[in-house]
Amino acid sequence: MGTTTRRNASAMKMVGALLALYRQAAGHTQRSLGERFVIGEQQIASIEQGRRPLKPDLAEQLDQLLDTKGALSIALSKMPEVDLVPLWAEEFLDREREAIVISSYENQVLPGLLQTEAYAWAVFRSRVPFYDEDTIARLVGARVERQGILQSKDAPITCFVVWEPVVHAPIGGREVWAEQLRYLRACSELPGLMLQVLPLERSSHASLDGPFVLLETPEHQRLAYTENQRGSQLIADPHEVAILTQKCAMLRSQALTPEDTRGLLDRLLGEQ
């Protein structure tokens, strides 16, 4: 996923304060500005408060509308480079954090939201080209922080389908693997979380093309996110999202039930 370090909070607040200043000078309210760009009053408020990053394309549009002579775009480009994250990662993390439903399929490693700290370290240490230890520490910290959404008061409904080889692969060694299995088993009992393993013995498989994540926002917009060896994308096109939604429904019908999945994990843990 590349670096997942968040943008500097002070810099984000500075850009947000500039937006609020220019918006007010132009005679716009947060609601009127949000409606102008079909993004909503709440998103404008979040940007102005420094809780949501301003994206370059929106900054350019705001500069034109508010006649700011490119001030917002320039401020955005001058944010500390060390704190910038790839735009696709920013957008996905923002959407994941606010999602009311998250569904995913994984066939290489366990979903990031279900990884233990030690397992995450092993995953990032496996990367080629290699990360240095400081970078891995930042990445693991960000991943563990993300997992807080599963324990929050307003936790989303989450559905995870994992191909069976993933739960057999001892990434990080036997102790890390055993700890991960125990954590996975505990997560499977969380309210609103459904974990299903797709058996290796299945003769049909609805997602041979690879892993994906589906998100539903509070506004009931449906998005999809995919990764491959050299890139990632957040997908908003309704047709493309519908195709992955169909794949997800088929995968869930092909996988073990949540109860049978817990039984499989119990058997694997019994073998330790």
Side-chain angles (χ1 to χ4, degrees):
M1 204 187 249
T3 179
T4 54
T5 306
R6 300 298 295 162
R7 281 182 169 173
N8 180 276
S10 296
M12 285 176 60
K13 289 179 180 177
M14 180 273 293
V15 172
L18 281 177
L19 173 56
L21 177 66
Y22 293 134
R23 171 182 60 76
Q24 293 165 3
H28 278 283
T29 63
Q30 291 177 341
R31 174 175 293 182
S32 67
L33 202 60
E35 290 175 347
R36 183 68 177 263
F37 291 98
V38 200
I39 59 176
E41 176 183 0
Q42 187 56 50
Q43 184 165 332
I44 294 295
S46 294
I47 294 172
E48 291 185 356
Q49 294 163 12
R51 294 186 291 108
R52 178 192 289 268
L54 176 62
K55 303 298 191 299
D57 56 346
L58 181 57
E60 290 180 7
Q61 296 174 56
L62 287 166
D63 278 331
Q64 293 179 3
L65 175 66
L66 304 176
D67 192 26
T68 60
K69 315 300 186 204
L72 292 172
S73 296
I74 292 174
L76 199 61
S77 70
K78 298 302 182 182
M79 292 179 73
E81 186 174 354
V82 69
D83 290 328
L84 295 176
V85 304
L87 293 179
W88 54 262
E90 264 190 0
E91 184 69 12
F92 172 67
L93 293 173
D94 288 341
R95 298 294 187 154
E96 180 187 67
R97 187 177 297 106
E98 67 182 14
I100 58 174
V101 180
I102 301 173
S103 303
S104 78
Y105 166 67
E106 289 288 350
N107 64 355
Q108 297 294 328
V109 296
L110 290 169
L113 291 176
L114 299 179
Q115 293 180 9
T116 64
E117 184 173 343
Y119 185 95
W121 269 91
V123 168
F124 287 121
R125 277 185 173 140
S126 298
R127 181 186 184 271
V128 177
F130 301 108
Y131 283 134
D132 61 64
E133 293 294 290
D134 289 341
T135 298
I136 293 176
R138 291 197 301 271
L139 291 167
V140 171
R143 178 156 294 181
V144 171
E145 181 182 5
R146 282 171 56 204
Q147 296 172 358
I149 66 175
L150 298 181
Q151 307 287 347
S152 67
K153 180 180 63 176
D154 301 316
I157 297 294
T158 48
C159 306
F160 301 98
V161 177
V162 179
W163 200 28
E164 186 174 359
V166 175
V167 299
H168 288 281
I171 292 178
R174 308 298 293 187
E175 291 185 7
V176 170
W177 180 58
E179 178 193 28
Q180 178 63 72
L181 286 180
R182 288 191 292 270
Y183 182 70
L184 203 60
R185 180 62 175 83
C187 286
S188 73
E189 298 283 0
L190 289 174
L193 188 152
M194 286 170 281
L195 174 64
Q196 296 178 257
V197 168
L198 181 66
L200 183 59
E201 63 189 23
R202 286 286 312 194
S203 60
S204 57
H205 189 309
S207 192
L208 293 173
D209 293 333
F212 60 88
V213 179
L214 297 172
L215 304 174
E216 182 177 347
T217 73
E219 296 78 28
H220 303 295
Q221 179 185 15
R222 288 177 170 80
L223 303 168
Y225 172 76
T226 61
E227 289 185 352
N228 55 43
Q229 286 280 343
R230 300 299 299 154
S232 311
Q233 61 177 329
L234 189 65
I235 304 166
D237 179 80
H239 176 69
E240 296 298 322
V241 175
I243 290 174
L244 290 174
T245 300
Q246 293 166 17
K247 288 179 180 284
C248 185
M250 186 63 72
L251 283 168
R252 292 183 62 187
S253 72
Q254 295 170 342
L256 299 174
T257 65
E259 292 78 15
D260 288 342
T261 293
R262 284 193 283 269
L264 171 62
L265 294 175
D266 287 339
R267 289 194 296 276
L268 291 175
L269 286 167
E271 295 170 2
Q272 299 307 303

